Amino acid sequence: MIKLPETAYAYLRAGGISLLLEWVDGGCPIVVHWGPDLGPLADAEIRQLSQAATPPIDPSHGYAAPVRTRLLMLESAGWKGRPGLAGHRLDGADWTPNPRITAVQADADATRSGDIVRLGLGRLQFTLTDPDAALTLTVVIDLLSTGLLRTRADVTNVGSSDYQLEELSLALPTPLTAQELMDFGGRWSRERTAFRAPVGPHAHVHESRAGRPGFDAAPMLLCGPCGFDFASGAIHGVHVGFSGNQRTWIERDSGGIQILAGGELLLPGEIRLAPGDAYRSPWVYFGYGEGLDALAHQVHAWLRSRPSHPSITRPVTLNVWEAVYFDHDLPRLLDLAERAARVGVERFVLDDGWFVGRRNDRTGLGDWQVDRSVWPDGLHPLVDRVRELGMEFGLWVEPEMVNPDSDLARAHPAWLLAASPALPVSWRHQQVLNLADPAAFAHVHDHLSALVDEYEISYLKWDHNRELVAAGDARHHRRASVHEQTLACYRLMDALAARRPGLEIESCASGGARIDLGMAQHVQRFWPSDCIDPVERSTIMRWTSQLLPLEMLGSHVSGPRSRTTGRVSTLSFRAASALFGHFGIEWDLTSANDEEMDALTHWVSYYRARRELLFTGTLHRRDLGDAALALRGVVDPTRTRALFELSALRRPDVGAVGRVRLPGLEPTRLYRVRAHEPGSVAGLVAPPWMFAETTVLSGASLGEAGLHVPTMFPEQTLLIDVEEVPST
């Protein structure tokens, strides 16, 4: 890191994005520009832009100087909206701090010219102090290689009395032309349902208070020009990379400032800083792009650039939950394993019901030992056969939760999180185990470590089926403990992964209730929803992939009848819908006939031949007509191959939908376009004139004119393979 002047300008550029900051007044940095790359600005232009961004003083405004958009929006700087920093001493003092910059550092590859510093991708770190309030803050801002921006802050109590922290959130500006917001609702088996609304005065706030982001969590809280879509519109988004309580918001004030902001949602009394104590906020991610797809590409490309990112050879996974539920019978499971290996499954996962007393969801949770009354020889007979068949073995666990009817809860009632002597309201017959308690942490860690070691487990399906309600820590006067519980969960995951290199963990939370970029640093896979109905999953996957790339999203073929909706779907529709994700099976294959098994084998082979394309390619999504038809596809980085899926989710309002344009291809190249029928009962129907082997069109024709959409029944999918024609 290099030191910078305490009053200066910084210009950062990466991934087609630029960020211009100034701190000439010594206060928290002001954001002059965040958005499209402005190019290699001269020093004079940087200063002029900063001055031009300052609104003229309006005496009617009521302040000596106009309010500016800062990384930390503070009342002491004139801001009367939601504050970026809120707290107080126990006597009520120091509730409106006014920190000033005392040190600035930048990455060593930064270049400096006088009071202007320039960076490509890189990090700036600002130290601010308020001697009157006895607080020191550190604000870090990173511009990542893909143009995604992230920022976080620390606050340290340097006073002689306790400081009660209530809020520490970061903000960036958006233009007033971003007049429409997109947020999300949702519930169990119907996660992430998008809705739009006008950006009005005051604040639109999205809060998650359940100890996890929730079924309604937004991949990003978004705003842009009215009618923005996957391909168009200057869109800004914010995401809090934290798996506990969180808050994001869009706010517009009467002075013409509009911001996106976010941070951890702190419960009353949760963060009380004794003298010398510090709190660090989670990373808050900000994205900008022309269209929703461009915004998604920023996040996907950054995640894929990490050394810890999962391999593109994502193994075909079979999970037994919907096949056997709690009925663990070795002969039946061995039969299921044999059938799984026959169709090409590469990972076999034993779900809930294997541990002591676990014959239903009312008992046993927390007693992480194999139930010898069901498994007299342990899991070895199943595990050994799974490995003989060439498959990895995975196991379901729920380490953060406990049934009151368990040996663990009876032996250690003080380990249960509760805000009063009485237990919180029950949720799926469960309570929460206080992993922030070192003894409880060690107990769970030791039992899971023993299982991982004994069975050489390569994959844990890590569930989280209970919201955190009235989660208080008995060791600290029953103080709110969602923050500490979340960090302890991260530590436990990391400790188990360190113990067995190569161990993969899937984050499941009643389905898709804990999906965020904080958890993405500790797991390799997410379960987007307990609903595998292909119609419902189409929407769920569409919006979950706004944040996460396909290789991190479990996507399974269900049985013919969905257990969550009752809908009956063809195998072709179920399997084609599952292709665009980490492909797997959640179906009792012992009930499948020979024709279905043969067809499923073809689908598995089709996926395995294309997973490199799926997990390195760029995602594209479009709505067609009245959104009765949906298009999604991936184009490989060289633009030589692509795979698209055209799905009819319902009957369109009008008969002729029109044409489907295939985005992302190189306009000047020629491509062969064809449909595939991977299985004998796949049921793909396409007129020969549309997808004949001889259909060759340019990327420009496919992207601008497109192909006629054939008449399709509801709940039918066409897979469109595109491959460059070699030049002769």
Side-chain angles (χ1 to χ4, degrees), residues 394-395 397 452 457-462 496 503-506:
L395 194 65
V397 293
V452 168
I457 292 169
S458 58
Y459 176 85
L460 290 176
K461 179 179 179 180
W462 189 297
L496 292 170
L503 175 72
E504 285 201 6
I505 299 176
E506 177 186 65

Side-chain angles (χ1 to χ4, degrees), residues 2 53 74 101 119 160 163 176 222-223 230 267 386 438 445 447 456 489 525 665 678 713:
I2 62 172
L74 301 172
I101 289 177
L119 275 169
S160 58
Y163 185 81
L176 294 178
L222 302 158
C223 64
F230 291 112
L267 294 175
V386 164
H445 173 267
H447 279 73
E456 298 180 352
C489 171
R525 193 181 201 252
L665 302 171
F713 291 123

Side-chain angles (χ1 to χ4, degrees), residues 265-277:
L265 188 157
L266 301 176
L267 294 175
E270 188 165 21
I271 303 298
R272 182 169 171 174
L273 301 177
D277 283 353

Side-chain angles (χ1 to χ4, degrees), residues 70-346:
R70 301 176 185 266
L71 295 174
L72 275 173
M73 300 297 286
L74 301 172
E75 180 163 349
S76 58
W79 175 246
K80 296 301 292 182
R82 291 193 59 89
L85 173 63
H88 57 86
R89 301 288 168 183
L90 300 188
D91 62 0
D94 301 331
W95 61 276
T96 176
N98 185 26
R100 315 296 293 174
I101 289 177
T102 55
V104 186
Q105 293 178 292
D107 281 350
D109 59 350
T111 60
R112 178 180 164 189
S113 172
D115 60 351
I116 295 177
V117 62
R118 299 173 184 271
L119 275 169
L121 63 151
R123 175 173 294 190
L124 286 173
Q125 179 174 299
F126 301 88
T127 302
L128 303 96
T129 61
D130 183 341
D132 295 329
L135 297 174
T136 296
L137 290 98
T138 301
V139 178
V140 175
I141 189 161
D142 273 350
L143 183 57
L144 304 171
S145 60
T146 64
L148 185 67
L149 190 151
R150 65 179 183 177
T151 181
R152 74 179 182 206
D154 299 8
V155 58
T156 303
N157 177 15
V158 296
S160 58
S161 62
D162 289 359
Y163 185 81
Q164 183 65 55
L165 183 67
E166 297 173 352
E167 180 93 39
L168 185 58
S169 299
L170 288 306
L172 284 179
T174 71
L176 294 178
T177 52
Q179 297 177 328
E180 185 175 58
L181 67 86
M182 178 179 284
D183 200 354
F184 292 77
R187 58 181 176 86
W188 177 74
S189 77
R190 194 76 164 87
E191 291 89 338
R192 286 169 293 286
T193 302
F195 68 89
R196 296 174 183 253
V199 177
H202 311 303
H204 171 92
V205 183
H206 186 132
E207 293 186 341
S208 300
R209 292 178 172 269
R212 58 191 191 183
F215 302 119
D216 62 344
M220 278 190 168
L221 179 60
L222 302 158
C223 64
C226 293
F228 66 83
D229 58 22
F230 291 112
S232 64
I235 307 170
H236 297 76
V238 61
H239 171 87
V240 177
F242 190 64
S243 309
N245 293 339
Q246 55 177 263
R247 178 189 289 122
T248 54
W249 71 93
I250 299 172
E251 187 163 12
R252 177 186 291 180
D253 80 345
S254 59
I257 288 179
Q258 183 167 303
I259 62 168
L260 278 174
E264 182 181 2
L265 188 157
L266 301 176
L267 294 175
E270 188 165 21
I271 303 298
R272 182 169 171 174
L273 301 177
D277 283 353
Y279 163 84
R280 169 168 288 181
S281 80
W283 285 111
V284 182
Y285 294 83
F286 294 91
Y288 168 82
E290 288 290 327
L292 290 163
D293 280 350
L295 204 59
H297 300 162
Q298 278 189 347
V299 187
H300 297 179
W302 170 66
L303 287 170
R304 287 173 171 173
S305 72
R306 302 170 304 153
S308 61
H309 195 66
S311 164
I312 58 174
T313 311
R314 308 297 283 139
V316 178
T317 299
L318 181 136
N319 188 68
V320 307
W321 176 244
E322 291 196 13
V324 302
Y325 297 101
F326 291 107
D327 184 16
H328 284 202
D329 174 74
L330 180 58
R332 185 179 180 192
L333 287 165
L334 289 173
D335 186 14
L336 192 56
E338 299 280 350
R339 288 173 168 264
R342 172 183 157 185
V343 301
V345 167
E346 298 161 306

Side-chain angles (χ1 to χ4, degrees), residues 108 136 274 317 357 374 391 401 554:
T136 296
T317 299
V374 179
M391 297 182 288
M401 305 302 166

